[in-house]
């Protein structure tokens, strides 16, 4: 049994792992022009590296996440963190957009295993009745990435060189790899085989509803997030820096959600999940009006961060509990759905914004989350009847 110090180190490494994935997911946006200038190409070409990362992550999560249920966590966590380090180091050394895309695809392959492995380990290692609290702490890595990681990478790019940002991420990934190699479990799961196949876990009652909820929830987030800054600048005539404060407000709210997560464990995650989904839907609905005022925009994105923390937290937690011995495969399927949503969300909401306006985006987000509420309310009733 690891010592309390090693357990704390492992928990810290799990948070750092989520931070690394979050930072890499958002890092290229603010520095796109700088990277393009260095690589002597157009920003559109560099943006293909983002697509390569997302596509590789979705592919990896679908086909490789089953490794989490078959092998010990030590090689899975340490190996995927090592691969991620290679993706970051290669990105820092890239001299063309094609090379950058290749190494971002490598980072995506690592992410498709590392992220569900981290989520699975957080759920598995949480003490009885503290799943939401422990998982909320691990999810704080996303908040740290939004509040600290992305602005810091932009600062490094402005003052020194964007390559340094990827160098720092590679260093942190290397440290996480060493901690996982020293502290993660060496024993493989007791069960394996057919019970962990994708076909088998999808047939588990409630899994399809949970995966559909996760997909719709993330489609709404990524689709609206992609347009929020543009909407604020169009309506308020503010600079990119001022609009980026909405992202920081979201990150602060997301972090606060983690601090409040322990109260959900006392009430019951399944009972409150539909309520958090409904609250999130109402905040999205309010964005059409809130974005007419700078301070209301910040308030709305702050509240959105709180609700979205619980949306992500409870989606993964409750999905993993549908079949605990196959949680890696389940969370991997949810990760696949998430990265498909990264593609679908901006495409769908962008078309609505261009054709009708942001009001249609806000209303569509509310409607899709209403579907999620209905799915989870029906599932909770069915579970209660069992």
């Amino acid at each position: 049994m690891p010592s309390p110090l090693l357990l704390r180190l492992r928990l810290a490494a799990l948070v750092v792992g989520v931070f690394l994935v979050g930072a890499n997911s958002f890092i290229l946006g603010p520095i796109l022009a700088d990277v393009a200038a260095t690589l002597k190409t157009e920003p559109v070409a560099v943006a293909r590296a983002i697509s390569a990362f997302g596509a590789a992550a979705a592919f990896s999560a679908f086909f490789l996440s089953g490794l989490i249920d078959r092998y010990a966590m030590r090689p899975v966590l340490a190996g995927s963190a090592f691969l991620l380090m290679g993706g970051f180091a290669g990105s820092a050394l890239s001299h063309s957009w094609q090379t950058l895309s290749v190494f971002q695809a490598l980072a995506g392959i690592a992410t498709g295993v590392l992220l569900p492995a981290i989520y699975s380990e957080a759920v598995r290692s949480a003490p009885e009745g503290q799943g939401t609290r422990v998982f909320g702490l691990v999810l704080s890595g996303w908040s740290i990435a939004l509040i600290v990681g992305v602005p810091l990478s932009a600062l490094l790019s402005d003052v020194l060189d964007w390559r340094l940002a990827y160098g720092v991420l590679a260093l942190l990934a290397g440290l996480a790899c060493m901690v996982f190699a020293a502290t993660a479990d060496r024993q493989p799961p007791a069960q394996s085989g057919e019970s962990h196949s994708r076909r088998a876990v999808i047939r588990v009652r409630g899994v399809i509803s949970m995966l559909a909820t996760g997909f719709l929830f993330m489609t709404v987030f990524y689709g609206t997030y992609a347009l929020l800054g543009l909407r604020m600048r169009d309506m308020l005539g503010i600079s990119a820096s001022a609009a980026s404060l909405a992202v920081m407000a979201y990150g602060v709210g997301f972090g606060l959600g983690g601090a409040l997560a322990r109260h959900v464990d006392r009430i019951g995650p399944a009972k409150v999940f539909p309520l958090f989904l409904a609250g999130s839907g109402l905040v999205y609905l309010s964005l059409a009006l809130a974005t007419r005022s700078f301070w209301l925009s910040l308030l709305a994105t702050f509240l959105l961060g709180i609700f979205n923390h619980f949306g992500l937290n409870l989606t993964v937690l409750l999905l993993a509990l549908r079949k605990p011995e196959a949680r890696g495969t389940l969370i991997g399927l949810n990760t696949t759905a998430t990265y498909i949503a990264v593609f679908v969300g901006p495409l769908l909401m962008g078309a609505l914004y261009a054709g009708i306006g942001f009001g249609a985006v806000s209303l569509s987000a509310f409607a899709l989350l209403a579907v999620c509420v209905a799915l989870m309310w029906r599932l909770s009733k069915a579970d209660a009847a069992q």
Side-chain angles (χ1 to χ4, degrees):
M1 187 72 181
S3 69
L5 175 60
L6 290 180
L7 290 174
R8 286 194 289 270
L9 280 174
R10 183 170 61 185
L11 181 59
L14 294 175
V15 176
V16 169
V18 174
F19 165 81
L20 292 171
V21 173
N24 191 62
S25 298
F26 298 110
I27 193 176
L28 266 179
I31 62 175
L32 205 59
D34 297 332
V35 177
T38 303
L39 301 182
K40 297 180 175 58
T41 187
E42 297 295 322
V44 173
V46 177
R48 292 168 187 158
I50 302 175
S51 298
F53 170 75
F59 176 90
S60 175
F62 186 78
F63 288 104
L64 300 179
S65 60
L67 297 173
I68 300 167
D69 299 317
R70 294 182 173 90
Y71 297 97
M73 292 304 293
R74 179 169 295 190
V76 172
L77 286 169
S80 54
F82 182 81
L83 198 64
L84 189 63
M85 179 183 67
F88 291 153
S91 297
L93 298 173
S94 295
H95 290 282
S96 69
W97 71 264
Q98 293 94 336
T99 308
L100 179 63
S101 296
V102 168
F103 281 108
Q104 278 296 296
L106 181 63
I109 292 172
T111 294
V113 177
L114 180 62
L115 192 60
I118 288 173
Y119 287 173
S120 178
E121 178 66 4
V123 173
R124 185 198 66 81
S125 61
E128 183 74 22
Q130 298 184 43
T132 308
R133 182 188 66 82
V134 173
F135 191 53
L137 181 60
V138 172
L139 286 181
S140 67
W142 286 103
S143 183
I144 298 170
L146 287 167
I147 297 172
V148 179
V150 175
L152 184 59
S153 69
L155 179 63
L156 287 174
S157 180
D158 287 340
V159 177
L160 297 171
D161 192 319
W162 61 269
R163 299 180 189 279
L164 284 174
Y166 281 111
V168 171
L169 292 180
L171 177 61
L172 289 174
L175 291 173
C177 175
M178 289 189 289
V179 174
F180 289 141
T183 65
D185 291 339
R186 288 183 288 184
Q187 297 300 319
Q191 299 179 2
S192 62
E194 177 63 24
S195 63
H196 298 153
S197 71
R198 291 186 295 275
R199 181 178 298 179
V201 298
I202 286 175
R203 290 175 177 170
V204 174
R205 187 178 60 83
V207 164
I208 291 178
S209 293
M210 291 293 310
L211 290 173
T213 296
F215 171 71
L216 292 176
F217 183 83
M218 299 312 293
T219 295
V220 167
F221 169 68
Y222 281 108
T224 307
Y225 173 85
L227 299 167
L228 187 59
L230 177 63
R231 164 69 172 183
M232 290 178 64
R233 297 190 71 181
D234 286 346
M235 293 298 299
L236 304 173
I238 57 178
S239 66
S241 297
S244 68
L245 290 176
V247 178
M248 294 188 69
Y250 173 87
V252 172
F254 197 93
L256 180 60
L260 298 174
R262 65 183 184 276
H263 299 295
V264 172
D265 286 317
R266 288 200 288 264
I267 302 171
K271 292 180 181 178
V272 299
F273 190 29
L275 300 178
F276 280 114
L277 290 171
S280 185
L282 291 174
V283 176
Y284 278 111
L285 186 62
S286 74
L287 283 177
L289 294 177
T291 48
R292 297 176 183 271
S293 162
F294 179 71
W295 295 108
L296 285 178
S297 297
L298 296 187
L299 175 61
T301 51
F302 170 74
L303 293 174
L304 197 60
I306 295 175
F307 282 111
N308 277 11
H309 171 93
F310 287 106
L312 176 57
N313 187 325
L314 297 177
T315 296
V316 174
L317 178 65
L318 294 174
L319 181 62
L321 293 176
R322 304 308 297 185
K323 191 176 180 66
E325 65 273 20
R327 67 170 66 90
T329 301
L330 285 167
I331 297 174
L333 289 172
N334 187 66
T335 303
T336 302
T338 294
Y339 281 98
I340 293 174
V342 173
F343 172 76
V344 172
L347 187 68
L348 171 64
M349 298 303 190
L352 289 172
Y353 186 80
I356 305 175
F358 192 79
V361 173
S362 189
L363 185 60
S364 296
F366 174 78
L368 291 176
L369 284 171
V371 174
C372 295
V373 172
L375 287 173
M376 292 301 97
W377 186 266
R378 186 181 68 176
L379 182 59
S380 66
K381 292 294 185 184
D383 288 341
Q386 289 291 313

